[in-house]
Amino acid sequence: MEKRPERRSGEGSLVRHMKSLLDVSKALGAEARLDSLLGVVVAEATQVMEAERSSIFIYDEPSETLFIRVAEDVAQGRIRIPLGTGIAGHVARTREPLNVPDAYADPRFNPQVDRDTGFRTRSILCAPMISSTGKLIGVIQVLNKVGQASFTAEDESLLGAFASIAGIALDRARLVEAFLEKEKIESSLRLANDIQMGMLPKEFPRRPDLDLFATLRPAKMCGGDLYDFRLDGDRLWFVVGDVSGKGVPAALFMAITKVLFDASVEVEETPAAVLGRVNRELCRQNEHALFVSAFVGRLDLATGELAYANAGHNLPYRLGAGGAVVAVSARPGLVMGLHDAFDYGNERLSLEPGDGLFLYTDGVTEAIDASRELFGEARLESWLAAAAGSDARTVVDGVVRAVDSFVGETPQFDDITALSVRYRPG
């Protein structure tokens, strides 16, 4: 009979603890944002454990350190602890809870935080937070049991249960946060891709003496290839270019290059002068040391005379009306963005009625199949010869299909751009 009151007291305490943990589970389940969830964990820990203060140390696996992410009245982020150092570091290394009844009597305790904040730590109870997969999330630490000299064995069990719930909740929140961040980045990249692709001309000239078509397919959401053209009376300006690198920096450099091309053909008379102006502007502020290869042409539709200049780009092909496929002869030139005083040279050839040109970037010829074999110039030339006399769109679309058929399921690793123009005077 004497033991009954003790059992009822223990049962009453157990009920209170179970209710506290249930309340904590509900509170943590209602919050998915990591920073907000951390605040909930600290507040609930302080209340449930009847402590004066609580702190959460997050484990940073690459540096094997703990840092305070959330604390009450402590400068968060300023405290970083190596694994195994101090009370929290010891708990993180051993993954076992630690009850310290007298903080200043424990050599692992660092009193400097107390001196910095004016707080007096008497007792510490610390427990590891583990994810559902067994990974260390961090540790939770409560200080100074209210109304008592130290924390009890019962408190150890309660904080252990609390830490288990909190660890799973924090792990879930980190996954949600990582997913949302990934979604945000992908959304930004999709917007950047829309803006970038929106800068490329989609409407092509409708004239009996000219047939023109082009396409660009980036390997990633943002690419570094470009094409452009400008019809000025009987003069057709056109360019195909390829920026070094991939991703957002290359896409921005591509956009700048296109804008500069548009501006330069307004004031310059020759392709070499256009390349020179664009190159000087690109060299002015090029912190990422990017560069762009480009081939610029100016076709006189009244005479068939083609003036062109090359800045380190793949040489285009001349497509003869009878099916001949010949690489256009040109000096290699220097890619733009590296040397602002480079002098580009103009070159010329005359197109016969029915002749065409095919310009491309190395994403075409350097496409690889599952056996790591390149599509190469020979396959490109063979397909272009087979498409003799075809309209510009048929040539461009056919080359892209030929590349796709060649690579099969192998992922595209470089941007693919192609432009075809055919001279058809009356």
Side-chain angles (χ1 to χ4, degrees), residues 56-68:
I56 287 180
F57 292 81
I58 297 296
Y59 178 54
D60 180 43
E61 188 173 3
S63 64
E64 294 191 330
T65 60
L66 296 167
F67 64 93
I68 284 189

Side-chain angles (χ1 to χ4, degrees), residues 208-210 301-302 353 423-426:
D209 56 353
L210 173 65
L301 296 173
Y423 174 55
R424 289 177 172 170

Side-chain angles (χ1 to χ4, degrees), residues 260-326:
L260 291 173
F261 171 77
D262 287 339
S264 297
V265 297
E266 293 283 351
V267 295
E268 301 293 350
E269 284 294 318
T270 67
V274 168
L275 287 179
R277 177 179 286 271
V278 174
N279 177 53
R280 288 190 296 274
E281 294 297 328
L282 290 177
C283 287
R284 285 189 179 182
Q285 292 184 343
N286 188 3
E287 297 176 357
H288 295 283
L290 295 174
F291 56 87
V292 55
S293 68
F295 187 95
V296 174
R298 189 200 65 203
L299 176 62
D300 189 332
L301 296 173
T303 64
E305 182 182 32
L306 175 69
Y308 59 91
N310 193 31
H313 196 72
N314 308 76
L315 294 178
Y317 287 99
R318 179 174 180 171
L319 309 180
V325 177
V326 181

Side-chain angles (χ1 to χ4, degrees), residues 11 15 20 47 50 64 67 98 101 133 155 178 182 226 228 233 245 254 260 262 271 287 335 357 373 387 424:
E11 289 173 354
V15 169
S20 296
Q47 180 178 348
E50 298 177 345
E64 294 191 330
F67 64 93
L98 184 62
T133 58
D155 291 328
K182 181 174 179 290
L226 69 112
D228 201 2
M254 166 269 185
L260 291 173
D262 287 339
E287 297 176 357
V335 292
L357 294 168
E373 184 178 355
R424 289 177 172 170

